[in-house]
């Protein structure tokens, strides 16, 4: 049912909200009761007399009675629903033959509010269906770089920032300082983190498959059972001068590219490195016990004091090794 605002005798104050009922006579009776007068006629703001309820949108001002402003119409006779252009972002909406027509920039939720306000109930189901079809499940939408930067700015440096289980797939987080953040179980599939500082982060069981981590800082990182299959880790630094060692036990680095990375002392126990590129890596004192290095290229790498006990070295390449290896109990 429509609601209109009445103003008495040309004033712009003390307006009264009145329901538009079935006839103009009933509306005049209600208006008179609101203002304790006998209401005889209704006028537009420009002085035109209103003689049909279909033209009424809201009461404005007038003389010798009450006036109402009818809904504006375009050259085709379509009614404009434009109560708040800002609310509609700021496109006017048209009602033609019971069908709502608007362009892609219109906010359908705002139109729904207008339809309910003006009593156009026939459009409500159509608009509700449109709104539901436009909505995406928020839980599945990956966070963007802007979302991450905003979280970094709003979080005090003394507080722990947690992205556990968060979806960041495909986001560009290059060259950001993300130290000490909890990314446990997070989805970082295809994420671009070139030159990003991920030192002392928890990436346990995170999905880093096909992520771009070239030149990233990974000092003291925890990547237990993480999936980094096909990831680009060229030139990464895992060695902490203070002695904190990266723990990558059980990590999946199948087909990953780690060429030229500094991985001294890193724990890669029972890790999967099948078909990985480990050329020219610093693996001094690294723990590779029980790891799968089948068809892995370790040419030019430094494996001084590395623990290879029980590792699978089938078809692995060891050309140009810097130091002699002790590979007893390995699978060759």
């Amino acid at each position: 049912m429509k609601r209109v605002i009445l103003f008495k005798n040309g004033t712009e104050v003390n307006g009264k909200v009145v329901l538009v009922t079935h006839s103009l006579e009933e509306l005049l009776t209600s208006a008179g009761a609101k203002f304790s007068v006998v209401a005889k006629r209704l006028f537009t703001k420009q002085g035109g007399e209103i003689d049909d309820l279909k033209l009424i949108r809201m009461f404005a001002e007038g003389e010798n009675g009450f006036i109402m402003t009818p809904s504006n119409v375009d050259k085709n006779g379509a009614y404009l629903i434009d109560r708040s252009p800002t609310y509609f972002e700021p496109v006017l909406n048209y009602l033609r033959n019971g069908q709502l027509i608007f362009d892609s920039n219109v906010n359908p939720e705002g139109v729904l509010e207008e339809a309910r306000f003006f009593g156009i109930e026939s459009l409500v189901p159509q608009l509700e269906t449109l709104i539901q079809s436009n909505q995406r499940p928020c839980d599945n939408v990956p966070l963007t770089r802007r979302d991450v930067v905003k979280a970094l700015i709003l979080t005090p440096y003394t507080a722990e920032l947690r992205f556990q289980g968060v979806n960041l797939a495909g986001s560009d987080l290059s060259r950001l300082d993300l130290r000490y953040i909890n990314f446990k179980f997070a989805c970082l599939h295809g994420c671009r983190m070139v030159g990003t500082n991920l030192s002392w982060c928890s990436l346990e069981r995170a999905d880093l498959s096909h992520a771009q981590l070239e030149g990233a800082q990974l000092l003291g990182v925890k990547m237990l059972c993480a999936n980094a299959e096909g990831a680009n880790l060229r030139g990464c630094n895992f060695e902490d001068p203070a002695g904190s060692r990266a723990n990558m036990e059980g990590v999946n680095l199948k087909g990953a590219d780690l060429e030229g990375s500094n991985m001294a002392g890193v724990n890669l126990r029972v890790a999967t490195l099948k078909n990985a590129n480990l050329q020219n890596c610093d693996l001094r004192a690294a723990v590779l016990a029980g790891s799968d290095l089948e068809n892995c290229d370790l040419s030019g790498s430094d494996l001084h004091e590395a623990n290879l006990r029980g590792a699978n070295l089938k078809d692995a390449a060891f050309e140009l090794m810097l130091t002699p290896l002790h590979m007893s109990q390995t699978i060759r």
Side-chain angles (χ1 to χ4, degrees):
M1 185 172 290
K2 294 183 181 179
R3 295 171 292 175
V4 293
I5 303 174
L6 292 171
F7 293 94
K8 182 180 177 181
N9 296 331
T11 63
E12 296 183 358
V13 295
N14 300 323
K16 303 290 185 179
V17 179
V18 180
L19 290 176
V20 179
T21 54
H22 300 90
S23 66
L24 190 60
E25 290 72 20
E26 290 183 13
L27 179 57
L28 290 170
T29 301
S30 299
K34 288 280 185 178
F35 289 94
S36 301
V37 297
V38 178
K40 296 181 179 180
R41 291 184 295 174
L42 303 172
F43 295 89
T44 67
K45 186 174 183 179
Q46 293 75 25
E49 185 175 356
I50 299 295
D51 58 2
D52 191 337
L53 286 179
K54 294 180 180 179
L55 299 176
I56 295 174
R57 185 177 63 170
M58 67 180 74
F59 287 101
E61 59 184 358
E63 57 181 299
N64 301 322
F66 304 91
I67 64 166
M68 312 168 107
T69 302
S71 296
N72 296 326
V73 297
D74 64 9
K75 62 181 180 180
N76 297 319
Y79 291 97
L80 301 178
I81 306 174
D82 58 353
R83 181 168 58 121
S84 176
T86 302
Y87 196 57
F88 288 97
E89 303 178 353
V91 183
L92 298 180
N93 301 273
Y94 295 82
L95 178 62
R96 293 190 178 95
N97 300 323
Q99 296 296 318
L100 193 70
I101 301 174
F102 52 90
D103 68 29
S104 58
N105 294 321
V106 172
N107 178 3
E109 294 184 6
V111 181
L112 177 59
E113 291 297 323
E114 281 294 296
R116 286 174 172 163
F117 178 82
F118 288 108
I120 312 174
E121 298 298 332
S122 61
L123 288 177
V124 172
Q126 179 184 345
L127 287 166
E128 289 179 341
T129 302
L130 178 63
I131 292 169
Q132 291 176 1
S133 64
N134 288 340
Q135 288 177 341
R136 295 185 298 172
C138 296
D139 293 341
N140 297 326
V141 178
L143 296 184
T144 64
R145 180 185 180 91
R146 176 177 293 184
D147 296 326
V148 175
V149 170
K150 184 178 180 180
L152 291 172
I153 293 173
L154 295 177
T155 304
Y157 73 94
T158 54
E160 179 184 358
L161 185 57
R162 290 176 290 179
F163 281 107
Q164 180 168 327
V166 172
N167 185 1
L168 290 157
S171 300
D172 186 357
L173 305 178
S174 298
R175 297 176 179 82
L176 292 179
D177 186 354
L178 303 177
R179 290 174 296 173
Y180 299 102
I181 294 179
N182 179 7
F183 288 106
K184 189 174 181 180
F185 298 108
C187 178
L188 295 158
H189 172 76
C191 195
R192 183 173 177 80
M193 293 181 283
V194 177
T196 301
N197 192 344
L198 292 163
S199 300
W200 303 288
C201 283
S202 176
L203 290 160
E204 184 177 345
R205 299 184 185 276
D207 182 4
L208 289 156
S209 56
H210 303 286
Q212 300 296 315
L213 289 152
E214 187 172 356
Q217 296 295 315
L218 294 158
L219 285 64
V221 72
K222 294 181 180 179
M223 293 180 66
L224 284 79
C225 301
N227 177 22
E229 183 174 347
N232 180 4
L233 292 151
R234 294 172 66 96
C236 290
N237 181 28
F238 292 83
E239 185 182 14
D240 180 11
S244 176
R245 297 191 173 188
N247 189 352
M248 302 172 71
E249 186 171 331
V251 69
N252 177 15
L253 288 164
K254 185 177 180 180
D257 188 355
L258 292 128
E259 183 176 351
S261 293
N262 185 357
M263 306 177 73
V266 69
N267 180 7
L268 285 165
R269 183 176 175 274
V270 298
T272 300
L273 291 153
K274 188 174 182 179
N275 299 315
N277 180 12
L278 289 166
Q279 295 182 67
N280 305 313
C281 286
D282 186 349
L283 288 161
R284 290 171 296 135
V287 180
L288 291 158
S291 59
D292 185 2
L293 293 161
E294 183 178 346
N295 203 34
C296 183
D297 191 349
L298 289 153
S299 301
S301 293
D302 185 354
L303 286 159
H304 182 62
E305 296 183 349
N307 182 357
L308 292 162
R309 185 183 293 265
N312 177 14
L313 296 169
K314 182 180 179 182
D315 298 325
F318 290 98
E319 299 177 5
L320 304 173
M321 300 303 296
L322 300 179
T323 56
L325 299 177
H326 177 67
M327 295 189 293
S328 61
Q329 299 183 2
T330 58
I331 304 172
R332 286 169 283 181

